[in-house]
Amino acid sequence: MQADSPWALLLLIPWAAAVWWMIRGTLRLQDTRKKIAIALRGLILLLVIAIAAGVQPYWRVEQRNVIFVADRSASVNADASLGEWIAKASAAKDEEDRSGIVSIGLDAAIDKVLSPDELPSAERYTFRSGVNENFTDLSQALRLASGMLHEAGGGKIVLLSDGAENAGSMLRQAELLKHAGIEVDVVPIAAPQRVDASLEAMDVPQTLRQGEKFTFEFTINSTSSGAAKLRLYEDNRELSTSDIVLEPGENRFALQSAALEPGFHRFRAELYAEGDEREQNNTAYAFSRVSGPPAVLIVEGVPGSSGNVEAALKASLIRYETIPPERLSVQLASYAAYDSIILNNVPATRIAAKPMEWLGKAVSDYGIGLVMLGGDNSFGLGGYFQTPIEKALPVYMDLKGKRQLPSLGLILVIDRSGSMSGGKLELAKEAAMRTIELMRPEDSVGVVAFDSTPWWIVEPTKLTERDDVLAKIQGIQADGGTEIFPALDTAYNKLLEMDAQRKHIILLTDGQSASNPGYAALTQGMVDNKMTMSTVAVGDGADQVMLEQLAKQAKGRFYFTNDESTLPAIFSRETVLMSRTYIVEQNAPPLIGQAGSWATMWQNGLPVLQAYIATTAKETAEVALRSPQGDPILARWAYGSGRTVAWTSDLTGKWSRDWVQWSALPNVLAEWIKWTFPQFESTPYSATAELDGREAMLRLRTEGSDTAAKLSAVVTDEAGKSTTLSPLPAAPGEYAASLPVSEPGVYLMQVNEQTAAAGGAETPNTGSGTTTGFVIPYSPEYRLTGENGTEALQQLANATGGRLLSLDAPQEVYRFIPVESRQPYDWTRELLLLILALWLLDILLRRLSLPWQRIGRMLLTRLGLAGGRLQRKEPDAAAPSGVSRLQQRKSRTAGFYGERAGTSDAASASPASGQAKGAGADLAGVQRAAIHSSQTASGSVRVQAVRPEGQGQASKQQRDDQQFKSVGTSSQPLAPPANSETNPADGHATVNRLLAAKKRGKR
């Protein structure tokens, strides 16, 4: 037996005291019944104490426990061979021996628990768990296996690996295994021979000056000789292609280049070798920042409309590049090459979701400037409501209660056919919800979804319950075919009933209608009733010709997109265009507001503006110029690490004829743009990263040795996920931080110094940080380092007292002295059931009163046990029969109550009184059913029952026979004297007392 909590056995002391108290204090129970009751309760308490102490039986067994640790990382890549070896080793174990399997890559996973069960296949074990093969952390597997063996009482670990760990330390774990008494046998696995060439490193100076010559240095390892090509890219633009010859081992190459364009640049090198069997190690990355004149990216919505902006930049010697919005990069690193980005009358419908997100993140996280210039496709009219760009700009796209707009009645007709399933329908629902959020409570909206038939998702209603409408839209599901006309006809009829100053329909579909009954009458009805309709075709499968014709006939607009992510911007733009008051026409110069340093540029007055886009200034924005109505014309603010400017009029001359002719415009516009440039510190920070399994150790260095400043760093991976770090001083001029990573890739980092604010809080210096980058290379599992891990495995085996096993002898695994271990049995459930049964028996013994002794004697009498054999026992003539004993008991009870009755009862019971009538006569007849007792010669008592008389008066002889004589004492008459007059009430009382005494006697 063993006890998990032996201290609980101290409860035996109060247990003994409780048993002694029950023996001394239980007075209600007597003899055997008392002994049994005390024994039951004592046993129940004793079992409870055993459960509390964790008392369990156990037996000792001798068996061999083995945990196989299989290295399944990419450097080994031999699951089939490992499974075959483990199966052969397990086949040599005895029946009682146990085996378990642990797989290891970056993380450890139990593939088979420790048990004596045979493997599913005797020839080869098939691994069931999945591991991250990009790293090898053998220490984790050893820690997990030792825990499994500790629970089993001991055993051995068999490690099958190449010993090339790149995370954790197995030798450090070996010290813990040695103290735990667990030996580790190692089986070295040689890396498979393959034709492979790996691009180990590409080195580029992180900081360069414009025009400076520098060298790209490449390190390439190869397992064979042969020709190869090395391609070099700068910001996804190919710089060169070089033919090289590789030799077995390490190869070094260098390419000369020059830093021509200032900005932040990303370089990528790709290696293509003949016969290369593995491509994961053929790419390398590097970053460099080239200092020089600033660079600006101009994104124009109308080709050739940015002449005035380009002239202003050229006059200020600022480099620029002009592109359409469709050429915006989908990689965040590309935006770091510019100091500011200008959106010149660009609609949001032409900017995909990823570039839209990167533009906002480039401003907030990396200090890139952003300028939006107005026009009829910009701001609210461009569909920027609730976009990352709206968050970055100093103005809201909607008008927040500043003027009375015409009421709008809008019905959204959305295709919900099966072809819309997935991302299309989800983006369509997001577009509808964004439209509803843009509308006002006094506007009315309806949503009808259609497949083969139209379905009203939201009946036309006022937007007083906006949340309810949004919830209903979220529940649209895709199914069925496509039938457009019934849905449009339904929407048209409902729109006729709506009370609104402007009525509009937006139709969205990605397919073609099953029938075409003719839409001319329907669109003409819309025009006659002052309705408009715009159509949106999604994908090449939509009927673009018909949808464009419908929009033209209904005086609306037609949109076509192959990028579903632009749908929310299209719907927002349509909603805003229905309120023409967003374009405010005026002929007055703007008024000067919070101009700051810009006020000196227009101290001699400002030209007149003809029109602008109405917006709402954000709460903390600086409104440098405003209209007479109070709308912002020119506003600026800081957003995260960057700065943004909004000019709500245009710069083409359509709304700003006098401004484009103003001689000071180039200088003024250049000042606006330069205000958004990043303000870098004179001592920038450079970053390097070292990969250590799950973490990248970042090192930030400065040109000086001052580490007094507190830093904050925002790191963004290729997927756009940002992580904020707080690097700590590690050495003079050096900071360190750890970044959790699981995948290799390209990372950008914005470093800011913390400054003390009011109240002692620290805030980053936004707009004055350093943009840098670092590379997490491909997994070290794919590197051709040439290192042999056999030596490390041998050290592990020597440190723990293990063996070096061979791949040719798997049967040697179980040839070691077995481990003697305890196998406890948890009997808590059985003990609880026993306690319940004993408790019920205790209740039965105490609550149910049975003649236990008489039952026992009766059983013995009937069975007649003698000499160990059953005998029939003859009745004893001298012993009183059961009837005689019952009569004796009745006699004693009657005598007892007769004495207590007193003389009055005796007088009333006199036999002389025989004249009782009615009820009294009946009672006297019952009383005459008395028992005559006479003393026999031998001293025994003979009891004879006397039959009671019938109705009428009893004779004197019969009344005399009613005398009762006590056994062994003088007789005591219970019947009333003859000369007494019988009282019926007293007779009843006497009978009741007699019956009660009889019941007590039975008990």
Side-chain angles (χ1 to χ4, degrees):
M1 303 289 288
Q2 68 178 23
D4 296 335
S5 303
W7 57 266
L9 295 177
L10 295 175
L11 295 174
L12 291 174
I13 299 175
W15 171 82
V19 172
W20 175 253
W21 178 83
M22 287 190 291
I23 294 174
R24 302 287 296 175
T26 305
L27 301 178
R28 187 168 62 87
L29 303 177
Q30 299 295 329
D31 301 331
T32 304
R33 187 177 175 190
K34 177 178 180 179
K35 295 177 182 178
I36 296 175
I38 294 176
L40 286 176
R41 291 206 169 180
L43 182 57
I44 290 174
L45 293 176
L46 191 62
L47 294 178
V48 171
I49 294 174
I51 294 176
V55 175
Q56 295 177 344
Y58 70 88
W59 58 91
R60 297 183 181 274
V61 295
E62 290 186 352
Q63 61 186 9
R64 298 171 178 86
N65 301 321
V66 175
I67 301 292
F68 296 94
V69 175
D71 185 352
R72 298 172 57 199
S73 60
S75 61
V76 176
N77 193 23
D79 286 5
S81 300
L82 296 178
E84 183 178 354
W85 195 91
I86 292 174
K88 290 180 179 179
S90 298
K93 74 180 185 65
D94 295 335
E95 184 178 356
E96 66 274 8
D97 294 339
R98 298 188 293 177
S99 64
I101 301 175
V102 172
S103 295
I104 185 61
L106 176 61
D107 299 300
I110 298 177
D111 217 275
K112 177 183 177 296
V113 297
L114 188 65
S115 69
D117 299 339
E118 300 291 338
L119 298 182
S121 174
E123 297 180 356
R124 178 183 298 174
Y125 177 76
T126 302
F127 295 98
R128 297 173 296 177
S129 61
V131 296
N132 185 345
E133 63 178 13
N134 290 329
F135 298 92
T136 303
D137 190 352
L138 297 178
S139 63
Q140 273 210 51
L142 296 176
R143 185 162 50 249
L144 177 59
S146 65
M148 297 169 63
L149 291 177
H150 177 73
E151 294 180 358
K156 273 197 173 187
I157 299 175
V158 177
L159 174 61
L160 296 92
S161 173
D162 60 353
E165 60 177 349
N166 43 57
S169 174
M170 61 179 176
L171 296 180
R172 189 181 303 121
Q173 187 67 29
E175 295 295 329
L176 301 176
L177 295 174
K178 180 180 178 181
H179 290 298
I182 298 177
E183 299 177 357
V184 180
D185 295 343
V186 297
V187 183
I189 306 295
Q193 297 296 325
R194 57 168 60 94
V195 178
D196 190 13
S198 67
L199 183 53
E200 297 291 333
M202 177 175 61
D203 296 326
V204 180
Q206 290 194 356
T207 58
L208 295 168
R209 296 183 180 275
Q210 187 177 16
E212 180 182 356
K213 293 182 179 181
F214 66 97
T215 302
F216 291 97
E217 296 182 359
F218 305 95
T219 302
I220 302 175
N221 279 334
S222 178
T223 60
S224 63
S225 60
K229 286 184 179 295
L230 183 63
R231 291 180 178 176
L232 183 62
Y233 297 86
E234 179 187 24
D235 300 327
N236 294 323
R237 178 175 58 89
E238 185 174 351
L239 289 180
S240 65
T241 300
S242 304
D243 293 323
I244 58 177
V245 177
L246 300 177
E247 296 294 336
E250 185 177 275
N251 300 263
R252 290 183 176 273
F253 300 93
L255 292 177
Q256 294 291 330
S257 184
L260 300 179
E261 297 182 0
F264 194 82
H265 299 284
R266 183 188 65 177
F267 300 100
R268 182 177 81 254
E270 297 179 354
L271 177 66
Y272 301 89
E274 294 181 358
D276 194 355
E277 298 180 11
R278 198 159 53 174
E279 62 180 10
Q280 292 90 340
N281 53 10
N282 294 342
T283 306
Y285 296 90
F287 284 96
S288 183
R289 184 174 190 87
V290 180
S291 59
V296 174
L297 176 65
I298 303 174
V299 185
E300 60 180 8
V302 179
S305 62
S306 303
N308 294 324
V309 180
E310 294 171 352
L313 295 175
K314 187 179 298 184
S316 298
L317 301 177
I318 298 176
R319 295 183 309 109
Y320 64 86
E321 179 184 1
T322 304
I323 63 171
E326 289 78 11
R327 284 184 54 194
L328 284 169
S329 175
V330 295
Q331 295 181 345
L332 179 59
S334 301
Y335 298 95
Y338 303 99
D339 296 275
S340 186
I341 301 172
I342 300 175
L343 299 178
N344 184 16
N345 196 23
V346 178
T349 57
R350 295 177 61 186
I351 302 178
K354 217 55 175 174
M356 183 83 71
E357 181 183 354
W358 291 157
L359 284 170
K361 192 172 289 291
V363 176
S364 63
D365 293 348
Y366 298 101
I368 309 302
L370 178 64
V371 178
M372 177 172 280
L373 304 179
D376 53 6
N377 287 319
S378 63
F379 295 100
L381 291 179
Y384 286 96
F385 179 69
Q386 289 191 350
T387 61
I389 290 180
E390 184 199 28
K391 295 179 182 179
L393 291 174
V395 294
Y396 294 109
M397 300 301 157
D398 57 335
L399 304 179
K400 297 184 178 298
K402 300 196 315 180
R403 55 174 59 83
Q404 185 65 34
L405 299 178
S407 60
L408 176 62
L410 178 65
I411 293 183
L412 306 177
V413 183
I414 299 176
D415 186 353
R416 52 152 282 184
S417 61
S419 59
M420 288 287 291
S421 60
K424 289 182 183 179
L425 186 58
E426 292 302 316
L427 287 168
K429 292 191 290 186
E430 180 185 346
M433 291 188 291
R434 187 179 295 183
T435 296
I436 290 171
E437 291 175 353
L438 190 57
M439 298 173 68
R440 300 165 300 157
E442 55 268 24
D443 294 332
S444 300
V445 69
V447 181
V448 57
F450 69 92
D451 44 28
S452 299
T453 57
W455 299 80
W456 279 106
I457 305 301
V458 178
E459 292 278 353
T461 181
K462 296 283 187 181
L463 281 177
T464 54
E465 299 293 337
R466 194 184 304 266
D467 293 339
D468 183 49
V469 173
L470 295 175
K472 290 179 179 179
I473 293 175
Q474 191 64 38
I476 301 176
Q477 301 296 327
D479 190 21
T482 304
E483 193 66 62
I484 298 176
F485 182 83
L488 282 182
D489 186 60
T490 301
Y492 168 72
N493 292 325
K494 285 290 186 180
L495 196 58
L496 283 174
E497 303 172 1
M498 294 174 64
D499 183 16
Q501 294 172 298
R502 292 181 180 176
K503 299 180 180 182
H504 189 60
I505 296 175
I506 301 178
L507 167 64
L508 182 146
T509 181
D510 72 336
Q512 301 185 14
S513 184
S515 62
N516 190 354
Y519 296 89
L522 184 61
T523 54
Q524 186 60 44
M526 294 179 183
V527 174
D528 294 342
N529 290 280
K530 297 182 180 180
M531 301 178 186
T532 55
M533 179 177 67
S534 295
T535 59
V536 183
V538 183
D540 295 327
D543 193 345
Q544 301 179 38
V545 175
M546 184 199 73
L547 293 175
E548 184 175 8
Q549 185 179 7
L550 284 177
K552 183 177 180 180
Q553 292 175 353
K555 308 300 182 183
R557 287 155 296 278
F558 168 72
Y559 299 89
F560 168 75
T561 179
N562 267 324
D563 186 356
E564 299 92 350
S565 64
T566 61
L567 291 178
I570 292 174
F571 275 55
S572 299
R573 172 178 166 80
E574 275 297 300
T575 306
V576 172
L577 284 175
M578 292 310 299
S579 302
R580 291 292 181 180
T581 50
Y582 272 76
I583 300 178
V584 181
E585 298 180 356
Q586 70 168 21
N587 280 302
L591 304 178
I592 299 176
Q594 297 174 309
S597 59
W598 291 351
T600 57
M601 296 186 297
W602 42 66
Q603 57 186 357
N604 295 326
L606 293 170
V608 174
L609 275 180
Q610 284 72 45
Y612 64 92
I613 301 293
T615 58
T616 303
K618 291 183 178 178
E619 291 77 4
T620 57
E622 296 180 359
V623 180
L625 298 176
R626 57 182 176 84
S627 69
Q629 291 82 8
D631 298 327
I633 301 296
L634 178 65
R636 67 181 185 180
W637 78 335
Y639 178 66
S641 298
R643 298 176 176 182
T644 63
V645 171
W647 168 258
T648 59
S649 187
D650 73 335
L651 286 178
T652 61
K654 179 180 178 181
W655 296 345
S656 54
R657 182 178 58 255
D658 296 339
W659 275 77
V660 298
Q661 296 175 0
W662 185 29
S663 59
L665 178 63
N667 292 332
V668 170
L669 182 56
E671 288 297 324
W672 297 351
I673 297 172
K674 287 190 291 185
W675 183 84
T676 65
F677 287 169
Q679 305 298 312
F680 294 104
E681 294 287 338
S682 58
T683 306
Y685 295 90
S686 61
T688 58
E690 297 177 359
L691 190 60
D692 182 18
R694 299 169 186 80
E695 292 184 339
M697 301 304 298
L698 304 182
R699 300 281 180 180
L700 300 178
R701 294 181 177 87
T702 65
E703 295 181 1
S705 60
D706 184 17
T707 55
K710 291 186 177 181
L711 302 182
S712 67
V714 179
V715 179
T716 307
D717 60 14
E718 288 186 324
K721 180 181 178 182
S722 297
T723 304
T724 302
L725 304 177
S726 297
L728 299 176
E734 182 176 313
Y735 293 80
S738 62
L739 174 68
V741 294
S742 59
E743 296 293 337
V746 179
Y747 293 79
L748 294 180
M749 182 165 58
Q750 174 77 8
V751 183
N752 292 288
E753 291 189 1
Q754 302 278 356
T755 56
E762 294 181 347
T763 58
N765 283 332
T766 58
S768 60
T770 299
T771 300
T772 184
F774 58 91
V775 174
I776 301 298
Y778 57 80
S779 168
E781 291 290 323
Y782 302 104
R783 292 189 178 277
L784 301 178
T785 58
E787 297 179 359
N788 189 358
T790 304
E791 182 179 350
L793 293 176
Q794 183 67 66
Q795 293 178 6
L796 174 65
N798 295 337
T800 59
R803 302 170 293 174
L804 181 65
L805 301 179
S806 171
L807 285 173
D808 300 328
Q811 66 277 4
E812 295 292 329
V813 169
Y814 281 92
R815 292 183 180 176
F816 62 92
I817 300 175
V819 177
E820 185 183 84
S821 62
R822 293 181 177 183
Q823 296 293 331
Y825 175 72
D826 187 4
W827 61 354
T828 303
R829 177 182 176 86
E830 289 80 355
L831 291 183
L832 289 174
L833 293 175
L834 179 59
I835 290 173
L836 177 61
L838 293 176
W839 180 49
L840 295 176
L841 182 59
D842 178 70
I843 294 175
L844 179 66
L845 182 66
R846 291 174 176 270
R847 296 299 181 186
L848 184 61
S849 179
L850 296 175
W852 303 104
Q853 294 182 351
R854 187 184 303 169
I855 292 174
R857 287 196 300 269
M858 182 181 67
L859 292 175
L860 292 175
T861 300
R862 291 185 177 277
L863 295 177
L865 294 175
R869 294 178 300 174
L870 289 176
Q871 297 180 354
R872 183 183 179 92
K873 189 174 182 180
E874 299 295 334
D876 188 3
S881 65
V883 177
S884 299
R885 288 196 298 272
L886 180 60
Q887 290 175 345
Q888 290 175 13
R889 186 181 300 168
K890 290 182 178 180
S891 176
R892 288 195 300 271
T893 303
F896 172 77
Y897 283 103
E899 291 176 358
R900 293 188 60 180
T903 56
S904 59
D905 293 339
S908 61
S910 176
S913 176
Q915 306 298 324
K917 301 178 181 180
D922 296 337
L923 180 60
V926 174
Q927 290 175 337
R928 281 194 299 271
I931 300 175
H932 290 280
S933 60
S934 58
Q935 186 80 21
T936 62
S938 61
S940 63
V941 178
R942 183 180 299 274
V943 181
Q944 181 178 359
V946 180
R947 185 184 306 274
E949 293 184 359
Q951 299 291 336
Q953 185 174 353
S955 64
K956 181 178 184 299
Q957 181 62 36
Q958 291 171 335
R959 288 195 303 272
D960 292 339
D961 292 338
Q962 295 178 14
Q963 302 180 63
F964 290 88
K965 296 181 179 180
S966 301
V967 179
T969 61
S970 60
S971 63
Q972 177 66 36
L974 293 178
N979 58 353
S980 300
E981 192 171 350
T982 302
N983 188 344
D986 294 341
H988 282 296
T990 301
V991 172
N992 292 337
R993 287 194 300 272
L994 181 60
L995 294 175
K998 181 178 180 181
K999 292 180 180 179
R1000 286 193 296 272
K1002 286 183 177 181
R1003 286 198 297 270

